[in-house]
Structure formats: C-alpha cells, structure tokens
Amino acid sequence: MEIKEIKSNKKEYLPLLLLADEQEDMVDLYLEKGRMFVLEDDGIKAECVVTDEGNGLLEIKNIATNPKSQGKGYGKKLIEFVEKEFHNDYDTLQVGTGDSPLTIPFYEKCGFKRHHVAKNFFTDNYDHPIIEAGVQLVDMIYLQKELKKMNMIDIIMTRRSYRGKYKEQKVPKSDLVKIMEAGLAAPSGCNKQTTSLIAIDDPDTLKKLKEVIVPSVAETAPAMICVLTQRINAYRDRCFATQDYSAAIENMLLAIVELGYQSCWYEGHITDEDKIGQKMADLLGVPTDYELVCFLPVGIAEDEAKAPKKKPFEERAWFNKFGNRE
C-alpha cells in the first residue's frame, strides 16, 4: 500500500473525484489549487484533495474510495495520512459533507466533531438535486478536528521503544531521507563523522534481512534503517564511534516520532556472538572497514506504544551535588 501525491493531470482521476462531488464544475473550483493524494494497493483505491483555507485551517474538499474497495479502511488511511502529513503546518482539519447517514458517522468515528452549517449549500450551488441514501442533501455540514502539534520536548517525552506490529503502509522515501538527515546532523567526536546509514524499503531486501534476524523482531516493519560505524580514532588512541552513532540513533528516533512513525533501537540483538549484524552487512554489500551495529524499524504502529515504568525524577536527577533535591 502506498499513498502518493498527484501534481499533474489530476483530471485523470475524475471518475473517482465525481463519486464524492458529482458536478465537474464544482470539482474545478478546488482541484488545481488543492493538493491531491491517491492511495494505491494493487491499483488506485482512493483519493483525497485538500486545500489551504487560511488561518491554520486545512480542508478536505474531496475524498472518495472506489466502490469495489469500500469498507476496507482506505478512506480512514487517507485521513490518517493527511493528519500526519500536515499536523505541523495547520491547527485544524475540516471537512464538509451533506447531512447523510453514510458520511457523518464515518467522519465522527475518525474524530471529527460538528462545527457549523452552510445553509442551502447544495440547492444553491448544484444544478441538480444531490441525493444520497435516498435523501436530498440541502445544507453542508462542516466538521472539524484539531491537529495536534508536538514540540521537541513533547516528542522526547512521548517517544517509546515500540516492539509491536506495524501497518502495511509504505514509508515514503522522502520521510526516510528526513530521518537519515536528522541522524547525520548529530554531533560526532572531533567531527570524524564515523556514522553511516542505509535505508531499506525494497520488499525483497527486507525479506532477506529479516530471515537472518533470529529470533525474529520487527517482522512487519515496511522499512528499516541500518546504522554503520567506522572505528576511527579522533585523536591519539581515543575513538568516539560509539558516542557518534548513539547520538545519530537518538536523533533518528525523535525524527521518526515527529513524522508519525514508531521504532525501536535494536543493537544488542544483532551484535551478540551469533553476529547477526555481520550477516546483514554481507547482504547489503557493506565494506569490511564498516560495522553494522544497529537497525531501526520504521513504520506506522498497529498498536499503542506503551510507556515503561520509570524511576522517579528525584532518584536520578539532583541540583548542585549528588542526592540534593534543591
């Protein structure tokens, strides 16, 4: 499953667009100025168009699923994608729909709440009656959902080591690039830049890598990032490669959460006596002067990431001297 943006020839998807808005000249009012996304899963299954309405408001102008593919969660996945993609740029997500038993309950299940009504919208703007579920639509019902923004402290405090199942949705290469850029932006001892990264999103390569990870972990992750290190001395006999890649990993874990994904730092599992990391490195063609020390699965979590029990702040952090709370 993949969601991608359509930047040209949007009218190619007109039959799908007309499922949600059946008058073409009404679609024309927002199609070109809006951003369009389609969901592919062995063919195009659904589409969504969103527009910037100003003052931090993003509106879903059109969302539709192929009739043969309805009831499989594709519409919900598109809404989840829009929330993840735009939560840092907008305060509120809005959608307008007729007062229909086919649409209102769906949006409410997705977390939207009724906000306001545009009286006679359908009768005033369409050249024919709009009928849905046997009822003529008259008013436009607008529903809204607040988009949660997280600052860096929020991200740090909510990051978890996720060991559950992942959803099938692919991770766009653009997101993998952002995650790796965050990793490479980390500090390194004497700027020796001993850390390198390989992102894997090819299904066949992922399958081969997961086959050598025994016992299995992160089997359902749609992508992973492998962390490589070079044991280069910073000065004299001092090497900070471990500190370098640790800083890079933490940066990436935070970027992963920021982008709406989950992950886990797998290092000990692959650097033990069974040398799983070396087997992974061999599959990836890693030169012998690099060591594969960690991998981070990347994907949308199927379940909630649970917080482990932490010791109280006062047992581990103090002021001015050891054990002093003030």
Side-chain angles (χ1 to χ4, degrees), residues 6 15 29 40-41 51 61 74-75 102 121 142 170 186 197 200 208 235 243 253 260 267 269 271 312 316:
I6 304 299
L29 295 176
E40 290 187 353
D41 188 13
T51 59
K61 288 290 191 179
Y74 291 128
L102 297 180
F121 179 89
Y142 284 97
K170 291 183 67 175
L197 309 167
I200 301 97
K208 292 176 183 178
Y235 60 90
Q243 292 90 333
L253 290 172
E267 180 175 353
H269 187 54
T271 56
R316 300 172 62 197

Side-chain angles (χ1 to χ4, degrees), residues 38-95:
V38 297
L39 186 152
E40 290 187 353
D41 188 13
D42 192 23
I44 301 296
K45 303 300 185 184
E47 62 74 29
C48 178
V49 180
V50 297
T51 59
D52 183 342
E53 298 299 307
N55 297 317
L57 181 65
L58 182 72
E59 183 170 341
I60 297 175
K61 288 290 191 179
N62 191 304
I63 183 168
T65 300
N66 187 309
K68 294 182 180 180
S69 302
Q70 291 176 359
K72 297 182 179 180
Y74 291 128
K76 185 178 180 182
K77 288 183 184 298
L78 271 174
I79 290 175
E80 290 174 348
F81 170 84
V82 168
E83 291 177 18
K84 179 181 77 69
E85 186 74 9
F86 294 101
H87 75 276
N88 279 327
D89 301 318
Y90 294 89
D91 301 316
T92 306
L93 181 61
Q94 176 172 281
V95 63

